[in-house]
Amino acid sequence: MKKIYHRSIINMMLRLPGSLMLLFVGCIFGYAQKNRPVVDVDKAFQLAAKQYQGMLAAHTDVTKFPQSTKPDGSPDNRAASWWCSGFFGGSLWYLFEYTRDNKWREAADTWTMAVEQQKFNKGTHDLGFMLYCPFGNGYRLTGNQKYIEPMLTGAASLSTRFNPQIGLIKSWEKHDNCNYPVIIDNMMNLEFLFWAARQSGDKKFYNLSVTHADNTIKNHFRSDFSSYHVVCYNPDGSIFRKKTAQGANDTSAWARGQAWGLYGYTMMYRETRDPKYLRQAEGIAAFMMNHPNLPKDKIFYWDFNAPNLPNEERDASAAAITSSALLELANFSKANKKKYIDFAEKILVSLSSPEYTAEAGTNNHFILKHSVGHKPAGSEVNTPIVYADYYYLEALLRYRGMKK
Ligand code: GLY
């Protein structure tokens, strides 16, 4: 079929007058140029594979999950109950998706199953990160039925944290003097509940996600589409306080928080097709992309309003999440499609450069350098962090899909 198609294009070209033929060839060339990938995804994945091969060799104990680097330079590992335990398995699935090499599938399965017992954990809102990143990708890529039950049990655990009186999932047990803190990050755990609604046929998961997202629009966002990190609620659903935990101050725009919001509302639109979520995602994107404190290489400072700009750390994780989110948002926005792809591409070019990508064999086997976990607490400041790698690989795969 393809050959016949190509031959008929060539025959048609030969019958065209010279100038028209030039125009025709020019158009095809122009189209090919426009669609040409600027980011070398193959090279990035080759390096990622080298790093994660080393990571697997250094992590033979599946109760110690790669997280980051300690201030003394040694690897910082965490337990399965830490909110980031699903990202390593998730990244291994992305390596399998890219290479189709069964060695990654086996490793991914091992590190996925290592998180399984968290399905009973009712003490965290992060079960989406912990279970859906590894199990969800594993199920998507293999169809293996054994991944279903842990996710459905986990989704039921997560939904116990939803208080119908307040209309939101509780994030942390307690924070300062807040008894019912909800953080913008929580938007990221709703994707898991949408999957559970589809899989189980139980609409409850869908409805509570929509209610949580609507109340977050109402209470977390400012008029410029930036968001507070934490909103503390009273038992009757009224607001006790709006503040930050990981940002520079209560009224600042913590970079990763903005990225979680962008990703979360893009996902909300994908799942519901309700235009208000698309408007929200586009508003957040505009806030981030047009911010006066945006660095040239598009890798955000850890907080848009950090006090000592430009002498502040960058957060590669916020950039990686944003890049992945914009590549999805581009599918939904005719007007801004090109803008979103160009911005995401610029982020990926920067992240793939030696400034942010570690040399093979360095960086405790993480792919990216220069993320910020929790600067006010002095934790993970300018270090690799496991979720920066995860969203970087996801963005590269989305980018590859788009450029194909
Ligand atoms: N969800 C916690 C963080 O983004 O640091």
Side-chain angles (χ1 to χ4, degrees):
M1 270 304 267
K2 237 184 193 163
K3 251 190 200 152
I4 296 169
Y5 179 67
H6 283 156
R7 213 177 303 139
S8 59
I9 291 182
I10 291 166
N11 282 341
M12 190 177 82
M13 281 170 63
L14 290 176
R15 268 184 267 123
L16 289 172
S19 55
L20 266 182
M21 182 145 109
L22 267 178
L23 186 72
F24 189 73
V25 171
C27 285
I28 289 181
F29 183 71
Y31 176 77
Q33 279 296 96
K34 204 177 105 204
N35 228 27
R36 189 173 52 91
V38 175
V39 182
D40 191 341
V41 176
D42 292 335
K43 191 172 153 207
F45 262 93
Q46 276 156 19
L47 193 116
K50 271 194 199 150
Q51 287 296 76
Y52 272 47
Q53 195 61 57
M55 189 75 95
L56 284 171
H59 285 79
T60 49
D61 178 347
V62 297
T63 64
K64 294 190 169 126
F65 292 76
Q67 167 70 20
S68 180
T69 291
K70 289 182 184 164
D72 67 3
S74 62
D76 186 3
N77 300 318
R78 300 287 168 99
S81 56
W82 180 240
W83 73 276
C84 301
S85 58
F87 291 119
F88 185 45
S91 290
L92 294 169
W93 282 119
Y94 286 147
L95 278 159
F96 171 64
E97 183 168 9
Y98 179 79
T99 61
R100 294 285 156 186
D101 183 336
N102 274 329
K103 83 174 179 203
W104 295 114
R105 178 186 179 139
E106 281 159 27
D109 178 69
T110 300
W111 283 93
T112 295
M113 296 315 289
V115 193
E116 186 188 358
Q117 289 313 303
Q118 295 309 309
K119 65 188 181 187
F120 299 120
N121 187 344
K122 295 184 178 141
T124 175
H125 73 122
D126 280 322
L127 290 182
F129 287 128
M130 294 157 79
L131 296 171
Y132 195 56
C133 295
F135 284 92
N137 279 310
Y139 184 56
R140 177 178 64 84
L141 293 168
T142 67
N144 191 335
Q145 304 283 307
K146 78 171 178 179
Y147 298 141
I148 295 177
E149 180 279 324
M151 286 197 280
L152 289 181
T153 304
S157 297
L158 174 55
S159 66
T160 63
R161 298 183 68 78
F162 181 81
N163 177 332
Q165 182 82 17
I166 296 177
L168 287 140
I169 296 168
K170 185 182 192 179
S171 298
W172 299 321
E173 282 313 299
K174 202 168 158 57
H175 168 70
D176 287 349
N177 51 356
C178 303
N179 291 319
Y180 203 99
V182 178
I183 60 175
I184 185 68
D185 323 28
N186 210 333
M187 286 301 304
M188 294 298 287
N189 293 307
L190 305 182
E191 187 173 11
F192 181 37
L193 298 179
F194 281 112
W195 174 86
R198 266 196 308 280
Q199 182 67 32
S200 66
D202 186 345
K203 222 25 194 135
K204 166 188 80 189
F205 296 120
Y206 184 102
N207 291 339
L208 68 85
S209 296
V210 165
T211 305
H212 181 101
D214 289 351
N215 283 325
T216 301
I217 289 184
K218 209 159 77 194
N219 298 328
H220 256 85
F221 285 88
R222 309 180 184 110
S223 57
D224 62 0
F225 286 97
S226 70
S227 54
Y228 289 92
H229 184 197
V230 189
V231 178
C232 308
Y233 290 89
N234 295 312
D236 64 356
S238 62
I239 291 165
F240 168 62
R241 194 177 164 195
K242 298 187 183 192
K243 65 184 296 290
T244 197
Q246 285 165 256
N249 60 64
D250 288 351
T251 55
S252 74
W254 172 52
R256 196 165 50 261
Q258 313 312 302
W260 292 142
L262 173 66
Y263 194 114
Y265 283 100
T266 303
M267 175 280 300
M268 286 302 300
Y269 182 67
R270 181 216 308 148
E271 295 292 340
T272 65
R273 301 291 155 164
D274 185 329
K276 77 169 167 252
Y277 299 132
L278 182 58
R279 278 197 299 277
Q280 193 69 19
E282 297 220 74
I284 302 167
F287 172 83
M288 298 177 83
M289 290 165 60
N290 302 322
H291 201 283
N293 296 339
L294 180 67
K296 259 209 178 77
D297 66 1
K298 317 286 188 214
I299 309 299
F300 310 109
Y301 293 106
W302 68 278
D303 190 302
F304 283 93
N305 312 104
N308 301 310
L309 293 174
N311 302 314
E312 294 278 359
E313 293 81 6
R314 307 297 189 86
D315 182 10
S317 79
I321 298 157
T322 300
S323 170
S324 187
L326 287 176
L327 289 173
E328 175 160 49
L329 188 57
N331 295 324
F332 303 138
S333 170
K334 269 204 189 103
N336 294 314
K337 183 183 179 88
K338 185 173 162 12
K339 242 200 271 176
Y340 296 153
I341 295 175
D342 287 351
F343 197 95
E345 187 171 65
K346 282 190 180 124
I347 290 178
L348 288 179
V349 166
S350 297
L351 292 180
S352 304
S353 76
E355 179 56 30
Y356 293 95
T357 289
E359 261 178 56
T362 68
N363 205 35
N364 284 324
H365 310 292
F366 290 98
I367 304 162
L368 295 180
K369 307 180 270 183
H370 306 314
S371 286
V372 174
H374 192 334
K375 182 151 182 191
S379 152
E380 298 172 338
V381 180
N382 198 18
T383 61
I385 304 185
V386 67
Y387 46 82
D389 288 5
Y390 175 84
Y391 288 101
Y392 173 60
L393 295 180
E394 182 180 272
L396 287 171
L397 286 169
R398 285 182 174 181
Y399 179 76
R400 180 184 70 155
M402 198 159 248
K403 290 288 164 178
K404 259 184 183 166

